[in-house]
Amino acid sequence: MAPILDHPGEQAAQDPIRLLEIRDTPLSVDEIFRAAGDDAAGGTALFVGTVRNHDGGQDVGALGYSCHPSAQDEMRRVAEKVVAEFPVRALAAVHRVGELEVGDLAVVVAVSCPHRAEAFAACRKLIDDLKHEVPIWKHQRFSDGTEEWVGAC
């Protein structure tokens, strides 16, 4: 028997995955936040990943992201898992590739759910799984001339 819902806003969103992209242009927090908006959501959680000036005790001088051709499909698979696990009203995620500078936005994700606890949990699951499962690689070049490739994201 289907659950009885008190308000039409409680109905499942048709396609809660509103925006998923990998792009080589600067990211907009406002764009991702707007894409994850939904009138039936009581909470929207947003995560912004930025390029920092250090890693592992070393000064980062330059950084670039690249991805496998399957990365977009893997992003969708990760997003679909989050939608299946949480009561997601809307979800958006964009990752940048190419050369970035300290302070640039590398990834922005947002998830809207009926309540804040669900939104926080879904957003955390989304960013954690994107970092671990989507084939996006970070190439860090340190100010001392050394460099390293870091696995997914």
Side-chain angles (χ1 to χ4, degrees):
M1 175 181 245
I4 297 173
L5 303 175
D6 294 331
H7 189 274
E10 294 175 302
Q11 304 293 328
Q14 289 239 318
D15 184 5
I17 300 173
R18 307 277 174 83
L19 173 64
L20 285 178
E21 277 189 25
I22 296 170
R23 56 172 79 144
D24 62 0
T25 57
L27 306 184
S28 164
V29 171
D30 290 340
E31 176 193 18
I32 286 80
F33 180 73
R34 279 192 308 274
D38 188 278
D39 289 344
T44 301
L46 179 83
F47 173 81
V48 179
T50 57
V51 176
R52 63 180 178 264
N53 66 0
H54 68 282
D55 190 34
Q58 294 183 280
D59 292 332
V60 172
L63 182 143
Y65 285 98
S66 59
C67 68
H68 188 272
S70 69
Q72 185 79 34
D73 292 336
E74 290 302 308
M75 279 182 79
R76 175 151 293 274
R77 186 186 59 75
V78 166
E80 287 171 349
K81 278 190 343 184
V82 171
V83 167
E85 186 174 335
F86 297 92
V88 173
R89 299 295 309 174
L91 176 152
V94 181
H95 202 296
R96 188 154 173 211
V97 293
E99 295 301 310
L100 283 74
E101 297 181 13
V102 170
D104 283 347
L105 306 184
V107 61
V108 182
V109 302
V111 180
S112 294
C113 292
H115 304 283
R116 71 179 174 274
E118 299 157 340
F120 279 126
C123 189
R124 178 159 194 153
K125 173 87 170 150
L126 177 61
I127 189 59
D128 286 351
D129 288 358
L130 285 176
K131 286 185 63 70
H132 292 101
E133 298 178 27
V134 177
I136 297 174
W137 306 286
K138 178 169 58 175
H139 183 209
Q140 297 187 117
R141 292 172 296 286
F142 300 105
S143 57
D144 68 1
T146 62
E147 59 185 49
E148 75 174 345
W149 283 90
V150 179
C153 292

